[in-house]
């Protein structure tokens, strides 16, 4: 079992809809969680971080964390075609500042 | 700060040649990571350093790969000899201890023919 798991997709949503991206992790001691966006041919870009249970909102993005269920999600409201990218979940397992990445979910927002 | 700087951006080399990838982390960041990304395997951690010391190199595929960090502002990833299966995008990322996530460089696209 991988340490951080994501559905590879593609997840296809119409423009204006809510896109929901999910991630599960196996290490219960994980404390910090991050979402990265990667456009085709580009490097991963940090877009959200969350450290405590609950929701964290930043513009159209909301990160949700449930440590009991070992689950973290990213919601994108009013999805735009420019949101089409691969979204990577990353987890800090407190093992020497290392981040473990999931395989990423490809999101396609159709006009 | 200019962010994480990697060079070269693109490298095409012949099988058997030595390849050296370079990385300058963000000033003040004390962790540096080397990742490899392919369509088949996604983003793989090769090795990471804390305070210039290699902490985990279990992701380095074989002895042909080596990485160094002689000081806080420079790291290299060397492949010798290179093989076609090493073709991938290699990313360097840096992070400040205990804060935020890691920040990635633009990557080096390596093609071994």
């Amino acid at each position: 079992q991988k340490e951080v798991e994501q559905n590879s997709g593609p997840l296809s949503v119409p423009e204006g809809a809510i896109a929901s991206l999910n991630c599960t992790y196996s290490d219960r001691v994980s404390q910090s969680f991050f979402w990265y966006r990667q456009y085709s041919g580009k490097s991963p870009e940090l877009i959200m971080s969350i450290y405590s249970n609950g929701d964290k909102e930043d513009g159209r993005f909301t990160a949700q964390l449930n440590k009991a269920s070992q689950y973290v999600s990213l919601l994108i409201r009013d999805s735009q075609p420019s949101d089409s990218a691969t979204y990577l979940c990353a987890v800090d397992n407190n093992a020497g500042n290392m981040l473990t990445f999931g395989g990423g979910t490809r999101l396609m927002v159709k006009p | 700060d200019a962010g994480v700087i990697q060079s070269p951006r693109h490298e095409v080399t012949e099988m058997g040649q030595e390849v050296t990838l370079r990385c300058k982390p963000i000033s003040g960041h004390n962790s540096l990571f080397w990742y490899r990304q392919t369509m088949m395997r996604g983003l793989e951690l090769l090795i990471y350093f804390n305070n210039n010391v290699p902490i985990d190199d279990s992701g380095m595929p074989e002895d042909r790969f080596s990485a160094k960090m002689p000081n806080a502002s420079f790291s290299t990833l060397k492949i010798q000899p290179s093989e076609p299966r090493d073709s991938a995008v290699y990313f360097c990322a840096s992070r400040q201890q205990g804060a935020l996530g890691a920040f990635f460089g633009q990557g080096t696209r390596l093609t071994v023919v």
Side-chain angles (χ1 to χ4, degrees):
Chain A
Q1 181 186 4
K2 289 186 178 180
E3 295 181 41
V4 181
E5 296 213 40
Q6 297 180 254
N7 187 316
S8 62
L11 172 66
S12 182
V13 300
E15 183 175 356
I18 296 175
S20 178
L21 304 162
N22 304 315
C23 171
T24 58
Y25 59 95
S26 60
D27 192 340
R28 286 192 169 274
V29 302
S30 299
Q31 294 294 321
S32 306
F33 307 85
F34 307 93
W35 283 99
Y36 286 78
R37 177 177 61 200
Q38 186 176 24
Y39 292 114
S40 180
K42 301 295 185 182
S43 58
E45 173 193 10
L46 178 65
I47 58 172
M48 287 287 286
S49 59
I50 187 166
Y51 306 100
S52 54
N53 281 329
D55 294 359
K56 179 181 178 182
E57 187 174 319
D58 183 0
R60 295 187 296 112
F61 297 95
T62 298
Q64 299 175 317
L65 175 61
N66 184 326
K67 290 186 179 181
S69 299
Q70 295 175 239
Y71 178 95
V72 58
S73 64
L74 179 70
L75 302 179
I76 306 175
R77 291 182 299 281
D78 187 23
S79 296
Q80 301 297 308
S82 58
D83 295 326
S84 298
T86 296
Y87 289 81
L88 298 159
C89 171
V91 175
D92 182 342
N93 61 6
N94 290 336
N97 214 30
M98 187 180 80
L99 289 181
T100 301
F101 282 83
T105 299
R106 189 159 73 95
L107 172 67
M108 297 172 58
V109 181
K110 297 189 173 181
Chain B
D1 200 311
V4 177
I5 300 173
Q6 291 186 247
S7 64
R9 292 291 307 277
H10 302 273
E11 177 80 29
V12 180
T13 190
E14 292 185 348
M15 183 174 62
Q17 296 298 305
E18 177 180 298
V19 175
T20 299
L21 310 181
R22 296 173 175 79
C23 175
K24 181 181 187 312
I26 293 173
S27 177
H29 284 193
N30 62 338
S31 294
L32 183 141
F33 309 83
W34 282 102
Y35 290 92
R36 178 172 68 176
Q37 189 173 43
T38 61
M39 289 291 293
M40 291 295 295
R41 301 174 69 89
L43 194 64
E44 302 175 277
L45 177 65
L46 301 177
I47 185 171
Y48 80 101
F49 297 83
N50 279 353
N51 298 313
N52 313 337
V53 176
I55 302 300
D56 185 349
D57 65 354
S58 59
M60 297 285 260
E62 47 197 275
D63 291 346
R64 298 185 297 107
F65 286 70
S66 62
K68 294 182 179 180
M69 191 165 187
N71 57 61
S73 58
F74 184 66
S75 178
T76 59
L77 178 67
K78 184 177 294 185
I79 308 172
Q80 166 64 19
S82 58
E83 297 182 2
R85 60 193 168 118
D86 301 331
S87 298
V89 180
Y90 290 80
F91 288 108
C92 175
S94 70
R95 185 186 189 198
Q96 188 174 355
Q97 182 80 30
L100 293 180
F103 294 86
F104 283 75
Q106 298 282 56
T108 295
R109 181 174 296 276
L110 174 65
T111 303
V112 183
V113 298

